[in-house]
Amino acid sequence: MINRKDKTDTAAIYGSAFPVILGPMAGVTDLAFRLLCREQGCDVVVTEMISAKALYYGNKNTIPLMQTDEREAPVGVQIFGSEPELMGQMAHKIEDRGFAFIDINMGCPVPKIVNNHEGSALMKQPELAGRIVSEVKRAVSLPVTVKFRLGFDEEHKNAVEFAKVLEDSGADALAVHGRTREQYYSGRADWEAIRQVKEAVRVPVIANGDIYSGADALAIREKTGCDGIMVARGSKGNPWIFREIKAALAGEPVPAEPTARERVEMLLRHAALCVEYKGEYTGIREMRKHAAWYTTGLRDSSRLRQEVNQVTTLRELEQLLESAAEGGER
Ligand SMILES: Cc1cc2nc3c(=O)[nH]c(=O)nc-3n(C[C@H](O)[C@H](O)[C@H](O)COP(=O)(O)O)c2cc1C
């Protein structure tokens, strides 16, 4: 199937002409965090990756991963797997849960996933990857997007050909992380290689990799000619990155850095949401890593981190952080 689109599709899929998207991060981008990023100006969010096989077997761990709320819309749901029919069936099963699009993960580098021929392993099998896209496309009425890397390793950098296969199979937009699977997260993302993908296809291309500031957002837009950008690690403990990026893209002055008090307040709101959605036991434990990110740079942050790791209730966390907010920056 040949699928030729023009640029207006960016808005049709993501709801904005040049979307700034929160990249999916397993263990990080849950509903609580996504809501805070949306509040800070992020245009579009995506769930953590969800296994099609786990969905098929009714694994109860997939339920919290699909949790959504109309306040975070538009939100895409990301699925992964290697069996075209199963992927189509599962995409169909979850498509009416309030998601704006179905995103297929073809970039995950983790051995457990790759050894199952899933995630970035699909970059070694473009034909199979294309069949997955066609099946999912056939099974759902939502837009279907794909997230992938530059290739499997340095010797197999096939992002351009891969992108064409996905486009011809019906993908509505593509997000490209400018690294190979072999690189994991090391080295610098190759934005020039993202430009080559952008020039090779007509569907919208979202550029991803190493955006940590408003200036980076302007630079990647300029360098790649992309139709939108995706920010992942730069948002950890820092949902304010989205207000900075939106200001930069609009040509407005860079907003002030959050103060120590604002960081503590955000962390506590994050914790309250996490507890609301996951219960106090799980919510507080999951907050520990976020707390470490939010408090980087605060006075005595390493001692504070140790103390946060002992806390088991929201009340204790609030009491602990009150004094940290008084302490201010280092
Ligand atoms: C902890 C962590 C978890 C991730 N989980 C996913 C995931 O579930 N699905 C996915 O497509 N990418 C995942 N990624 C990759 C990011 O979405 C993104 O492509 C990558 O981090 C590069 O963007 P960045 O430089 O803005 O972080 C993950 C990255 C990290 C650091």
Side-chain angles (χ1 to χ4, degrees), residues 67-87:
Q67 196 172 15
T68 179
D69 179 307
E70 59 194 22
R71 289 173 300 163
E72 67 166 338
V75 51
V77 59
Q78 189 186 63
I79 56 172
F80 71 95
S82 63
E83 296 163 49
E85 265 186 37
L86 186 82
M87 293 282 279

Side-chain angles (χ1 to χ4, degrees), residues 258-280:
T259 61
R261 172 151 292 281
E262 282 170 330
R263 282 203 247 173
V264 165
E265 279 169 7
M266 185 72 84
L267 166 50
L268 287 174
R269 284 190 52 223
H270 192 158
L273 286 169
C274 216
V275 165
E276 181 184 336
Y277 295 127
K278 299 188 178 179
E280 194 152 49

